[in-house]
Amino acid sequence: MRLAKDVATRAHAPYSQFSVGCVIVDENDQMHVGCNVENASYGLTMCAERNATGSAISAGAERFKTIVVASRKAVTPCGACRQVLAEFSSHDTEVFLIDLDGRQREQHLLSHLLPHQFKLESDSKPQS
Ligand code: THU
C-alpha cells in the first residue's frame, strides 16, 4: 500500500490533478507498478491500473493475486480497467482501494466489481 501511494506521486496528471497509483501483486508475489499518464489530447490518457497491467505482463507475470489502487480518495477502478484487470485475475483476486493519507481503505473482490466480465466463448479461430 505504501508503494501504491509512492507511485501515485509519479503520476502525470496536469489536466485532472487526480493522481492514481496502482500496484499489482502477481502469482509469485512480485509487485508491479503503474500510475496514470495524461495527455494534452485528453482521450489518450492511460489509467494507472492499465499501466500497471502492462508493466506486470511485460515482466512475465501471468496471474494477478492482489491489486492496490491509491488516490486522494478511495476510488474504484473505471470500467475499462476492470475488464483489463479481469483478463489476468481470478474469482478471488482482491482489490484494495486506499486514499493517500490513510483514512480510507476498502477491500473488494474484482469479480464483484465486474460481474459478467466479457470473455470470448472459444479461443478457436474460424476456419479459413
Ligand atoms: N484514472 C485512473 O488512473 N484510474 C481509474 O480507474 C480511473 C481514472 C485516472 C485517469 C485520469 O488521469 C484521472 O484519473 C482522472 O480521471
Side-chain angles (χ1 to χ4, degrees):
M1 290 192 188
R2 193 178 334 121
L3 183 57
K5 291 189 224 175
D6 284 350
V7 175
T9 67
R10 289 180 223 143
H12 176 69
Y15 307 105
S16 72
Q17 306 292 330
F18 194 80
S19 298
V20 185
C22 177
V23 172
I24 292 172
V25 183
D26 72 17
E27 73 279 14
N28 296 316
D29 294 324
Q30 297 298 302
M31 292 192 278
H32 308 277
V33 302
C35 58
N36 52 329
V37 180
E38 298 186 345
N39 192 273
S41 178
Y42 298 162
L44 300 182
T45 289
M46 187 56 73
C47 292
E49 298 91 327
R50 275 179 283 162
N51 279 333
T53 298
S55 175
I57 298 307
S58 302
E62 294 184 354
R63 303 303 300 167
F64 297 172
K65 279 167 64 173
T66 307
I67 298 157
V68 182
V69 182
S71 52
R72 69 167 177 260
K73 54 184 185 150
V75 290
T76 52
C78 75
C81 288
R82 293 178 203 200
Q83 175 69 27
V84 169
L85 292 167
E87 178 88 6
F88 308 102
S89 297
S90 311
H91 68 281
D92 57 353
T93 298
E94 289 188 305
V95 183
F96 290 90
L97 310 169
I98 58 173
D99 70 354
L100 295 177
D101 36 56
R103 280 189 220 135
Q104 291 176 291
R105 176 175 149 168
E106 291 180 27
Q107 185 175 352
H108 301 273
L109 290 174
L110 183 62
S111 54
H112 287 183
L113 293 178
L114 183 69
H116 309 294
Q117 164 199 358
F118 173 74
K119 285 184 183 165
L120 287 178
E121 281 177 44
S122 163
D123 286 339
S124 61
K125 296 198 173 108
Q127 306 227 317
S128 51

